[in-house]
């Protein structure tokens, strides 16, 4: 399956955030790789999720809509939200992620 050929209902925003989520009723920390109104892409340890698993997560202090795992390729999983994340929330999270990227290197330099 070529995942890049799947049509998208909304634009995906690249992200690089660690988020706390729940998969199969257990807490897992995963990297959020991208986010859109209809879903997201997560990277965790291989086997952290299986197709059909229910997923809840909090991104930047904001609860994402309930989702389910649509596909898995090794440590990467695609999540389809049952509802839609508001575009303004996605823009806010994208801006926060960009600020963190700018600020974090200068903190390390101190």
């Amino acid at each position: 399956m070529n995942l890049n050929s799947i049509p998208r209902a909304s634009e995906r925003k690249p992200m690089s955030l660690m988020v706390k989520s729940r998969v199969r009723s257990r807490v897992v920390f995963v990297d959020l790789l991208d986010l859109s109104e209809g879903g997201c892409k997560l990277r965790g340890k291989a086997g952290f999720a299986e197709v059909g698993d229910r997923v809840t997560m909090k991104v930047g202090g904001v609860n994402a809509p309930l989702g389910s795992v649509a596909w898995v390729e090794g440590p990467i999983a695609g999540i389809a939200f049952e509802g839609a994340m508001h575009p303004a929330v996605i823009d806010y999270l994208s801006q926060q992620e960009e600020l963190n990227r700018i600020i974090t290197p200068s903190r390390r330099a101190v």
Side-chain angles (χ1 to χ4, degrees):
M1 170 193 302
N2 181 354
L3 298 176
N4 294 325
S5 68
I6 298 173
R8 303 287 173 194
S10 56
E11 178 187 356
R12 292 183 288 171
K13 298 266 186 166
M15 299 271 174
S16 181
L17 296 171
M18 179 166 285
V19 297
K20 180 180 180 180
S21 63
R22 286 191 167 273
V23 179
R24 289 184 237 138
S25 300
R26 71 178 195 280
V27 173
V28 294
F29 290 90
V30 294
D31 294 318
L32 177 68
L33 303 178
D34 69 32
L35 180 65
S36 72
E37 294 173 38
C40 63
K41 188 186 316 177
L42 303 176
R43 178 178 50 222
K45 293 183 178 182
F48 82 96
E50 295 177 3
V51 172
D53 285 347
R54 304 285 289 207
V55 178
T56 60
M57 63 183 169
K58 193 172 248 188
V59 182
V62 177
N63 287 324
L66 182 63
S68 61
V69 177
W71 57 265
V72 176
E73 267 191 16
I76 310 287
I79 309 303
F81 294 148
E82 291 182 4
M85 184 168 266
H86 195 282
V89 173
I90 295 170
D91 288 341
Y92 168 78
L93 293 170
S94 181
Q95 290 169 358
Q96 293 303 307
E97 191 267 341
E98 177 126 357
L99 284 173
N100 286 340
R101 222 179 327 166
I102 293 168
I103 293 170
T104 300
S106 63
R107 286 184 185 165
R108 292 179 183 158
V110 174

